[in-house]
């Protein structure tokens, strides 16, 4: 499941589930709640007109209560789409609105989707994709009203590294920070956690930085947050 809050404490939960017979597929659903935990809506399918698997749901919410859900579709898990909703849960601008964020190259699948609502009214979607033994992390900025704002940006400037498990958070001023798990490049043994900042248009603000000081063993599953003053915090699982 994925959860996001608005400016008054209300929140939305999105999740993927097995829909059961007759389709035996996976669907994505969401439900709105007030700040006290009272449900404001029923559980609702995010894209009722779509058939086949829908998985890997990630949700972000703006201060006004509008929100967006990013999820993976396609028989091979090779398409990432985003759907935007009004504060009352109504799809924007119509029931068929499902925007394509990324289509993976042949033989690749998409995983580890993360999304954040940024201050200018955009959504930032980070995602991992690749095949066995390889992987990259992409970032795309989506305008909350008009749709795609940037092209797909590779977050790791070193293509010799394998990048997976992204987490994205909004920064003051409209930028975002992405953290991810990285393997290889520069003779590193095991995996590291790296992070990199981007502006509101998806342009990188300098090179990535290794976050973990402890280098032996694997450092993985990062989660990044950013405070109102711009302080960035990253947590992850590590081996001692």
């Amino acid at each position: 499941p994925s959860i996001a809050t608005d400016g008054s404490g209300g929140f939305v939960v999105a999740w993927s589930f097995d829909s059961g017979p007759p389709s035996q597929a996976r669907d994505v659903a969401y439900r709105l709640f007030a700040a006290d935990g009272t449900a404001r809506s029923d559980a609702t399918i995010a894209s009722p007109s779509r058939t086949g698997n829908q998985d890997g749901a990630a949700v972000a919410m703006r201060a006004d209560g509008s929100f967006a859900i990013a999820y993976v579709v396609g028989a091979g898990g090779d398409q990432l789409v985003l759907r935007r909703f009004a504060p009352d849960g109504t799809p924007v601008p119509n029931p068929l609105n499902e925007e394509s964020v990324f289509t993976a190259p042949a033989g690749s699948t998409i995983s580890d989707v993360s999304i954040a609502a940024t201050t200018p009214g955009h959504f930032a979607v980070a995602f991992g994709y690749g095949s066995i033994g390889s992987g990259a992390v992409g970032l795309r900025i989506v305008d909350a009203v008009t749709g795609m704002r940037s092209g797909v940006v590779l977050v790791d400037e070193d293509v010799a590294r394998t990048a997976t498990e992204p987490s994205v958070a909004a920064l003051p001023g409209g930028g975002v920070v992405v953290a991810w798990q990285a393997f290889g490049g520069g003779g590193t043994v095991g995996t590291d956690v790296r992070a990199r900042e981007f502006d509101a248009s998806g342009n990188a603000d300098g090179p990535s930085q290794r976050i973990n000081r402890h280098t032996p063993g694997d450092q993985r599953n990062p989660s990044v947050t950013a405070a109102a003053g711009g302080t960035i915090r990253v947590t992850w699982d590590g081996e001692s």
Side-chain angles (χ1 to χ4, degrees):
S2 178
I3 187 170
T5 60
D6 62 20
S8 60
F11 59 98
V12 59
V13 180
W15 66 96
S16 305
F17 67 99
D18 292 322
S19 58
S23 66
Q24 299 295 345
R26 289 184 63 78
D27 284 322
V28 169
Y30 64 91
R31 194 173 191 184
L32 295 167
F33 296 85
D36 63 359
T38 303
R40 294 199 298 113
S41 75
D42 294 330
T44 305
I45 302 297
S47 185
S49 62
R50 176 179 284 278
T51 59
N53 283 329
Q54 305 158 59
D55 210 350
V59 64
M61 197 173 222
R62 299 175 62 196
D64 65 0
S66 60
F67 61 99
I69 304 174
Y71 48 98
V72 179
V73 301
D78 59 353
Q79 295 181 338
L80 177 62
V81 298
L82 177 139
R83 199 163 199 203
R84 294 174 284 151
F85 299 85
D88 65 356
T90 304
V92 177
N94 60 62
L96 298 178
N97 176 49
E98 196 178 62
E99 299 161 277
S100 176
V101 177
F102 180 71
T103 299
S108 297
T109 58
I110 299 170
S111 61
D112 306 315
V113 180
S114 180
I115 185 172
T118 68
T119 50
H122 305 148
F123 294 103
V125 185
F127 51 93
Y129 66 96
S131 55
I132 297 175
S134 66
V137 169
L139 172 70
R140 196 162 194 190
I141 309 299
V142 184
D143 188 278
V145 177
T146 61
M148 298 301 146
R149 177 178 173 85
S150 76
V152 176
V153 179
L154 289 178
V155 301
D156 197 332
E157 70 277 21
D158 187 347
V159 296
R161 286 192 288 255
T162 296
T164 58
E165 300 180 358
S167 175
V168 62
L171 294 171
V176 298
V177 57
V178 182
W180 68 94
Q181 176 180 294
F183 174 76
T188 300
V189 177
T191 59
D192 288 320
V193 170
R194 304 190 69 86
R196 195 178 190 186
E197 295 182 35
F198 298 83
D199 66 18
S201 297
N203 301 305
D205 185 13
S208 65
Q209 303 291 326
R210 190 183 72 199
I211 302 301
N212 54 289
R213 295 182 180 179
H214 183 78
T215 56
D218 288 334
Q219 318 300 315
R220 56 186 183 272
N221 301 328
S223 178
V224 63
T225 61
T231 302
I232 296 170
R233 299 179 176 91
V234 184
T235 59
W236 66 94
D237 298 328
E239 293 180 349
S240 59

